[in-house]
Amino acid sequence: MQAEPTFQITYTLTAWDYAAMARGLTRRPWRRSIVTVVLWLFSVWCLLAFFTDLYNPLTMINAVADSNAWLWLPAGLVVVALVSLATHWLAWGASFLSYRQIASADATITISFNDDAIHVKSNVADSTVPWASVKRIIREKDYLMLPISKREAFILPRRSFEHQKRFEDAFRYASAQISAGSAGAGDTHQ
């Protein structure tokens, strides 16, 4: 017998909801993005040093400026920097292109959760996922997201809650369940 749900919301999935999920799941900390850009720049420097036998970065910049590569190399570096720093915005934009291809596009979804699990019902599928499957909670201005993989998350739009307090209560409840699941999973491996 299923326990009475602690929280239950119903909403219709939109392209904006799907885009918010894509952005939330692909967002990285700024430090990691900066390290990625630095590694890309170091890799380019290594390649240029290998092919030109120039190791001084200033000498290398002057050589690039004097060659035919003066336009495409800086443009390529700008593209690499943008991709490294703004991956989540690229995923956000691409999600609008792929939204119509997902099975749950424009589906009415009911999400409920209690102490045992998260229950999802829609005209596409019904599923029950234990709290242990959710590793973290993503909180944004208009959404709570409960990721279950690198590409999927349960989306809880703020608009689907009766009022602000209910949204806050759902965040606290889900955070407590995820923490309890993480602590319980750690205890089983001892």
Side-chain angles (χ1 to χ4, degrees):
M1 185 170 175
Q2 184 175 323
E4 188 68 26
T6 305
F7 289 93
Q8 182 170 324
I9 61 167
T10 300
Y11 68 97
T12 301
L13 184 71
T14 66
W16 291 97
D17 299 331
Y18 186 67
M21 180 194 69
R23 189 184 70 215
L25 292 178
T26 56
R27 182 179 293 133
R28 296 182 295 189
W30 276 103
R31 277 189 186 153
R32 186 172 166 195
S33 297
I34 298 296
V35 167
T36 302
V37 169
V38 168
L39 289 174
W40 273 108
L41 290 174
F42 181 71
S43 299
V44 168
W45 176 80
C46 287
L47 284 172
L48 288 173
F50 178 76
F51 287 113
T52 63
D53 288 330
L54 299 173
Y55 299 99
N56 183 339
L58 294 176
T59 306
M60 193 178 292
I61 289 171
N62 287 334
V64 168
D66 291 340
S67 73
N68 295 337
W70 71 270
L71 187 59
W72 67 265
L73 185 62
L77 292 175
V78 168
V79 168
V80 166
L82 284 174
V83 168
S84 297
L85 295 173
T87 304
H88 57 285
W89 287 110
L90 294 173
W92 178 83
S95 69
F96 286 103
L97 299 174
S98 62
Y99 174 70
R100 289 282 163 215
Q101 298 170 358
I102 65 170
S104 57
D106 298 325
T108 299
I109 300 169
T110 299
I111 298 178
S112 59
F113 41 91
N114 55 29
D115 292 344
D116 299 328
I118 303 165
H119 307 280
V120 181
K121 291 184 179 197
S122 72
N123 53 353
V124 177
D126 294 346
S127 62
T128 299
V129 176
W131 281 105
S133 298
V134 180
K135 304 301 181 216
R136 62 188 173 121
I137 187 168
I138 299 171
R139 181 182 178 163
E140 295 189 348
K141 179 183 173 202
D142 294 321
Y143 296 95
L144 294 178
M145 288 172 260
L146 307 172
I148 56 174
S149 74
K150 289 183 178 183
R151 295 186 182 133
E152 297 174 302
F154 296 121
I155 306 167
L156 297 110
R158 182 184 297 270
R159 70 177 186 278
S160 62
F161 290 88
E162 304 92 41
H163 45 77
Q164 174 69 24
K165 183 178 180 333
R166 202 70 176 141
F167 182 80
E168 300 298 329
D169 291 344
F171 171 71
R172 282 191 290 282
Y173 181 81
S175 296
Q177 293 301 318
I178 293 167
S179 296
S182 297
D187 293 342
T188 60
H189 296 295
Q190 292 181 2

